[in-house]
Amino acid sequence: MKKNKAVAVSGMGCLCAAGLNVADCMAFLFQGQRYPAPPLSFSGRGSHPVFEITSDFYVPRHFRQKELPRTSCLAITAAREALADAGLDEDYFRRKRVGVCLGSNVGGGLSGTFLEQWRIAESDPYILPQYRYLGGNPARHLAAEFGISGPVQTVVNACSAGGDAIGLGAAWIRMGICDAVIAGGADALYEITYLGFMSLLNTDAKACKPFDIRRKGLNLGEGAGMMLLESDEMLAERDKKARTYVLGYGSAADARHFTAPHPRGRGLRLAMKEAMASAGISASDLAFINAHGTGTADNDRIESCVFSEDFPGIPFLSTKGYTGHTLGAAGAIEAVFTAACLEQGRIPRSAGFSEPDPELPACPVHENREISGSTAMSDTLAFGGNNAVLILGRPEKTKGGG
Amino acid sequence: MRIGIAGIGVVGGFGCGHPALLRALKKGSAETAWKTIRTAGGDMEVPALCADTSALADYVPLRTLRRNDHYTRMALLGSFLALEDAKIPPGEALHRMGIIVATGLGSTCNTLDFEDIMSGKNAVCSPTLFSNSVHNAAAAHISIFLKSGGPNLSVNQYELSVPSAFMTACHWLREERTDTVLLGGVDEFSKVGAYYRFNCEKSGKSGKSSPPVGEGCAFFILTSDPEKIRYGYIEDAFAGICPAETMEDSGLHPLMNGISHCSDLWHRPPSGVSGGLCSTPLQEKSGDLPHCPVEMGENTILMCDRETYEKTAAASLRIKKTARKTDTAISCSRLYGSLPVAMAFDIAAAGLIIKEGIRNLPADLFLHSPGDISPAAPVCCLKIRENNELGFVRLLPLHPLFPAKKGVKV
Amino acid sequence: MIKKAELKQKLKVMIVQSLNLEEIAPEDIQDDDVLFGDKFGLDSIDAVELVFQIKEHFGVEIKNMNEGRPALQSVSTLAAFLEKRMNP
């Protein structure tokens, strides 16, 4: 495994239950609040709390956009923020070779709306869903929103999709096939996933408690996280600076069990090794780790073991306690949080954690704290044994500058 | 670096394994079956090209498959066949093999059945069914059965899933993330699709000639090891959106004069930009193919469905004011039916044409008047959708004109 | 009220069918066989599937695995658990 060139991130956007933009989310995280509640969008289906976005966040720009699935609306909203953050003029942007690489759990087709249509259309039960499904690709909707031309990919690696999409999109810049890539993840909360996770007995009936001894499972959430990846040439042409960099990416499969993570975190370690090698850094270079930390018994135990053995003394946290598990968006939202924390030089306390579990060899940070260093790691573990790891921050040579 | 196909594993309405696909290719047809689908308006019989996975018992004990549905069984069988064809024993040197699964419908068929359960009185659903409904189910099960801990990717973008997967496989190999990628396209018979088609045909929206709904998978072993490449080189792969001006007005139209030119033209950099809009950087390509004749596109074989062909023909007519005549255009969809990952089967057929040196095919497979196939012809598998969206995978034959060069690096 | 032998038979059929145990017949399962051992090759997802099936077949809800684990030891423990829950 060889070291890869760092890829510049010139803009970021994100929305979830913690806030409707990056700045609001960050402020919310450091205030240490959270308000999980039973789902509103499909009320009556269960009492386990979720982290839902309850305010209106989406403004359609064209008449037809009113019909977009919620996942696409989330993706577009976060991408608009990332582009504005990068200071991009949309006409200029359209003339460039711009790719879209988006991670999502199931795409937009199987949303709540879809289910409603399915039930209503009793006389002709298959037509509407098919129509929905064909039009339901959120990556395609993103490309249409900005009128871009270039490669488009929809990554459906379950809960690691958002992290994978950023890592895969960065390769498009390195290989010179794109000037810019809108990369990230999006997922709306929907009923099938909610009931499915409940049937797997891994949702918490109260607010989730990642890494805590009383942890009972995850809470689902929804949202989107987007990064605008940009080539050095395009940045120079616009006379702009990178906000942060994608320094490394690694992914690996556990190749062991469909729903349970590998007991010793085999795939997670392989993915971390690849990410560190491609970033050309070692464990001691990391300022902190943004853990997957869902709040399920197995996930948190394995992550804690891997951190304590391979990254001793590196502070880590889970932001799932503020956002819930946003599935395909999680890797991307957490990548945005990781980069923003590095900028602010501090990390929030790991919400939900108060009492250490003696079975876990390492515990997350229990209060907001300052950090020093210019690189950090964000990891995600997915259904099916997928693991994706991103290293974000500033390359050594531009430390303090650029 | 040259990337090519070392092994092929296919399962579909034509049978199991690439010898079955080759037989169907030579015959020009496959046996259509009938399938019953349940609808609110009563049961209906629809034509279908279905896949049989019973051969999976030759590779793994049946009891280990108890949690695998038809969708993942097809993918597993395709993977085993491709590995066997590439002479890679399962379990050997696979720990960092990359796996990419492209699917247009994913486990949607499952998910929909599972909705039937949901719309009943139950407030919960079967955890096994739920876990199999995630879109990366096939890729995950393959990694588990092969114990392959390499990078693992699932892509789902309807008819562009397959070229999108090839695009990323090429990146992985070029960046040396891995030296082997197991890549496959898989889709299950979609009752939704069959019903939709039935209604479209009833209302006259689509021609009666279009093939029945199909299912199956086509898997490939992609490698950068020149010794192992047997079914042609992957010259280029792309899935995404073509610039509107390229599609509509300018002389850079990829559909204008031989689809084969499209990637060449995309390599021509727009003003002020280095490189092109394609998945391979310009420098590398020109360095790689010094002997490549400029008119390479003249005898290109185009493999696509009728819809795509009609779009290319219409574009050609509009821009050049003459109908296209020179290229060979083939559609094999009658062999495997219509399904979102159709391009995977086209690529398998292209690989077989290249490997077997096939010079002529049954007239039914040609989208125009039949003709001979040039043995040195590149093959372009293409899908054009609405709104400037397209995907293609271009194969180069193993021909003296395009020699495998060892040790050439980016 | 359902007889204990009948209940056990019903459970064995449920296990074989719902977990799709291809090479095992209900008769092959002894009342005291350890379900989650080497004999049947069952694992964590089978456990949650059984929890789901028990709710479907008997209307008895197991809220989490702390409650489920002792009950799911064998057909005998499961039958005893169900009798207690169905006839409190």
Side-chain angles (χ1 to χ4, degrees):
Chain A
M1 282 178 269
K2 59 176 186 182
K3 183 179 184 304
N4 279 326
K5 195 176 167 299
V7 172
V9 178
S10 57
M12 306 197 295
C14 139
L15 72 162
C16 58
L20 300 184
N21 56 54
V22 178
D24 286 356
C25 285
M26 291 307 290
F28 191 88
L29 258 52
F30 287 103
Q31 283 160 16
Q33 304 160 331
R34 54 186 193 147
Y35 307 107
L40 283 174
S41 50
F42 38 87
S43 54
R45 279 293 188 165
S47 60
H48 287 205
V50 294
F51 287 83
E52 212 169 4
I53 301 178
T54 48
S55 38
D56 284 338
F57 59 88
Y58 178 70
V59 187
R61 289 209 290 202
H62 317 292
F63 174 68
R64 284 177 59 194
Q65 283 190 327
K66 284 175 84 167
E67 306 210 331
L68 290 182
R70 187 169 169 91
T71 298
S72 298
C73 298
L74 289 165
I76 288 172
T77 306
R80 282 177 186 165
E81 187 193 354
L83 259 66
D85 181 37
L88 269 168
D89 168 59
E90 284 195 23
D91 281 336
Y92 170 84
F93 194 57
R94 261 193 284 276
R95 292 198 305 274
K96 293 295 179 183
R97 300 165 308 157
V98 183
V100 173
C101 194
L102 182 86
S104 187
N105 193 30
V106 283
L110 297 169
S111 59
T113 339
F114 169 88
L115 285 182
E116 286 310 309
Q117 305 265 15
W118 181 272
R119 283 175 193 149
I120 291 163
E122 270 177 21
S123 58
D124 220 356
Y126 293 113
I127 291 292
L128 265 169
Q130 176 80 359
Y131 174 76
R132 277 270 155 200
Y133 192 86
L134 295 177
N137 187 331
R140 184 69 191 80
H141 294 151
L142 259 189
E145 160 77 13
F146 301 107
I148 59 109
S149 46
V152 174
Q153 185 162 74
T154 311
V155 177
V156 286
N157 280 6
C159 313
S160 69
D164 279 308
I166 292 173
L168 294 165
W172 300 357
I173 302 276
R174 276 201 305 276
M175 303 198 73
I177 62 170
C178 287
D179 300 312
V181 179
I182 303 170
D187 253 323
L189 190 67
Y190 85 112
E191 208 172 341
I192 287 187
T193 335
Y194 179 72
L195 296 175
F197 274 101
M198 273 174 61
S199 76
L200 284 166
L201 300 181
N202 56 11
T203 54
D204 200 319
K206 299 208 173 84
C208 64
K209 298 170 269 297
F211 299 105
D212 190 275
I213 191 170
R214 299 158 301 149
R215 67 185 185 281
K216 293 257 167 20
L218 54 81
N219 299 148
L220 284 173
E222 62 177 350
M226 290 290 163
M227 286 186 155
L228 185 77
L229 312 176
E230 199 169 332
S231 71
D232 294 343
E233 293 75 19
M234 184 166 147
L235 269 177
E237 192 178 282
R238 307 198 291 130
D239 198 22
K240 293 275 196 250
K241 300 236 184 298
R243 190 165 169 183
T244 185
Y245 288 84
V246 178
L247 300 175
Y249 161 63
S251 68
D254 279 349
R256 188 178 171 276
H257 191 269
F258 197 69
T259 50
H262 189 281
R264 288 179 308 285
R266 176 175 177 265
L268 180 61
R269 283 180 213 253
L270 276 173
M272 285 173 163
K273 207 173 136 192
E274 189 190 9
M276 305 279 283
S278 64
I281 63 163
S282 56
S284 57
D285 294 326
L286 294 174
F288 69 93
I289 300 168
N290 191 344
H292 191 50
T294 54
T296 61
D298 286 347
N299 177 86
D300 294 3
R301 186 181 62 249
I302 287 151
E303 274 193 290
S304 171
C305 290
V306 170
F307 296 156
S308 106
E309 283 172 32
D310 297 354
F311 303 91
I314 308 286
F316 69 92
L317 75 151
S318 165
T319 50
K320 296 280 194 304
Y322 301 101
T323 64
H325 189 353
T326 55
L327 305 177
I333 290 177
E334 285 156 31
V336 169
F337 287 168
T338 303
C341 284
L342 278 172
E343 284 176 342
Q344 299 193 1
R346 56 179 185 151
I347 50 174
R349 73 179 186 87
S350 198
F353 172 77
S354 58
E355 196 180 326
D357 179 346
E359 271 189 41
L360 303 192
C363 290
V365 294
H366 59 275
E367 54 192 13
N368 297 348
R369 59 171 278 188
E370 292 190 351
I371 44 126
S372 59
S374 60
T375 56
M377 181 165 81
S378 177
D379 69 302
T380 41
L381 287 76
F383 241 47
N386 273 17
N387 301 271
V389 176
L390 288 170
I391 311 276
L392 298 145
R394 301 206 157 263
E396 279 303 307
K397 60 178 177 2
T398 57
K399 199 181 251 183
Chain B
M1 180 189 287
R2 302 297 292 275
I3 292 161
I5 301 173
I8 292 179
V10 283
V11 188
F14 49 83
C16 173
H18 66 68
L21 179 58
L22 186 62
R23 277 195 297 277
L25 197 58
K26 287 178 173 167
K27 198 174 146 210
S29 62
E31 203 83 3
T32 301
W34 289 87
K35 215 173 158 104
T36 308
I37 54 172
R38 208 189 70 225
T39 76
D43 288 357
M44 59 169 71
E45 292 273 305
V46 291
L49 282 161
C50 292
D52 174 11
T53 61
S54 52
L56 200 49
D58 300 343
Y59 299 92
V60 282
L62 278 180
R63 66 184 158 74
T64 61
L65 294 169
R66 64 187 173 89
R67 278 201 291 259
N68 293 99
D69 53 23
H70 184 55
Y71 171 74
T72 54
R73 282 178 192 222
M74 289 192 293
L76 282 170
L77 181 55
S79 304
F80 285 125
L81 289 166
L83 285 165
E84 188 175 64
D85 187 41
K87 301 187 174 56
I88 301 175
E92 188 186 284
L94 290 179
H95 64 286
R96 282 298 290 177
M97 180 178 77
I99 295 172
I100 306 183
V101 172
T103 175
L105 300 170
S107 304
T108 308
C109 306
N110 272 312
T111 313
L112 297 182
D113 281 337
F114 154 67
E115 264 165 42
D116 292 344
I117 300 169
M118 259 188 53
S119 52
K121 301 286 183 294
N122 304 317
V124 287
C125 52
S126 157
T128 312
L129 210 49
F130 169 67
S131 53
N132 267 326
S133 78
V134 295
H135 271 25
N136 65 337
H141 281 295
I142 294 168
S143 79
I144 293 165
F145 272 89
L146 298 180
K147 297 189 171 47
S148 176
N152 192 292
L153 172 67
S154 300
V155 292
N156 170 235
Q157 47 201 113
Y158 205 54
E159 287 158 313
L160 298 189
S161 308
V162 170
S164 182
F166 270 84
M167 178 167 78
T168 296
C170 291
H171 296 167
W172 285 4
L173 291 164
R174 278 182 211 287
E175 288 205 314
E176 295 173 35
R177 281 194 76 187
T178 171
D179 55 14
T180 312
V181 177
L182 171 66
L183 181 157
V186 54
D187 267 319
E188 193 174 356
F189 174 82
S190 159
K191 60 187 182 189
V192 178
Y195 184 86
Y196 182 68
R197 276 283 297 285
F198 182 86
N199 278 281
C200 285
E201 275 168 26
K202 208 167 63 181
S203 59
K205 271 190 219 154
S206 75
K208 286 252 187 271
S209 61
S210 51
V213 170
E215 68 169 2
C217 70
F219 274 77
F220 305 88
I221 301 290
L222 302 183
T223 176
S224 50
D225 181 349
E227 306 290 321
K228 292 186 180 147
I229 297 170
R230 296 191 298 144
Y231 294 93
Y233 304 114
I234 307 291
E235 192 210 17
D236 213 340
F238 175 86
I241 294 152
C242 187
E245 63 270 26
T246 312
M247 288 292 274
E248 296 300 332
D249 323 311
S250 76
L252 294 183
H253 200 298
L255 314 176
M256 202 182 80
N257 184 18
I259 291 300
S260 58
H261 281 302
C262 64
S263 56
D264 294 342
L265 294 167
W266 269 330
H267 284 305
R268 200 175 294 166
S271 55
V273 186
S274 63
L277 180 66
C278 217
S279 60
T280 330
L282 180 65
Q283 309 85 324
E284 181 191 346
K285 191 178 132 83
S286 50
D288 238 17
L289 287 172
H291 311 296
C292 173
V294 181
E295 283 83 25
M296 190 175 71
E298 293 252 312
N299 62 358
T300 290
I301 303 166
L302 173 62
M303 288 196 101
C304 60
D305 53 27
R306 181 162 293 279
E307 190 192 355
T308 296
Y309 178 70
E310 277 162 10
K311 282 181 186 150
T312 71
S316 168
L317 188 64
R318 193 168 67 242
I319 295 161
K320 285 185 78 189
K321 313 282 182 220
T322 58
R324 59 157 62 240
K325 284 200 184 77
T326 49
D327 295 327
T328 307
I330 299 168
S331 170
C332 298
S333 43
R334 54 169 53 225
L335 309 183
Y336 48 73
S338 40
L339 70 171
V341 296
M343 195 191 284
F345 294 95
D346 285 345
I347 296 166
L352 289 171
I353 289 171
I354 286 171
K355 177 164 175 282
E356 303 291 325
I358 293 174
R359 301 292 300 272
N360 42 57
L361 288 169
D364 284 348
L365 297 182
F366 287 86
L367 287 160
H368 48 73
S369 51
D372 281 350
I373 294 166
S374 160
V379 186
C380 181
C381 302
L382 175 77
K383 178 68 201 181
I384 305 177
R385 299 202 65 213
E386 305 304 320
N387 305 319
N388 301 343
E389 202 180 8
L390 59 80
F392 65 86
V393 174
R394 259 167 67 82
L395 275 80
L396 287 183
L398 305 167
H399 188 269
L401 269 179
F402 317 107
K405 282 193 295 175
K406 258 185 158 172
V408 177
K409 285 217 170 168
V410 186
Chain C
M1 192 183 136
I2 191 164
K3 284 202 183 73
K4 195 149 191 167
E6 210 179 306
L7 175 63
K8 285 178 178 171
Q9 181 58 23
K10 210 174 158 189
L11 284 171
K12 290 173 187 175
V13 172
M14 181 195 86
I15 290 168
V16 168
Q17 283 179 355
S18 67
L19 303 183
N20 202 13
L21 300 175
E22 302 221 4
E23 291 165 358
I24 294 167
E27 303 79 63
D28 298 339
I29 304 176
Q30 303 302 313
D31 289 357
D32 295 316
D33 275 347
V34 178
L35 290 177
F36 291 84
D38 291 335
K39 184 169 177 185
F40 305 116
L42 304 190
D43 61 19
S44 57
I45 182 137
D46 295 311
V48 286
E49 183 66 35
L50 286 180
V51 167
F52 170 75
Q53 296 293 342
I54 287 162
K55 172 125 194 279
E56 288 292 287
H57 283 82
F58 303 99
V60 172
E61 191 174 4
I62 296 171
K63 283 211 162 57
N64 56 55
M65 269 304 147
N66 289 339
E67 193 184 340
R69 207 166 287 117
L72 292 169
Q73 291 303 310
S74 65
V75 170
S76 296
T77 59
L78 194 49
F81 170 81
L82 284 175
E83 280 196 324
K84 206 168 131 198
R85 287 285 294 269
M86 288 189 294
N87 314 292

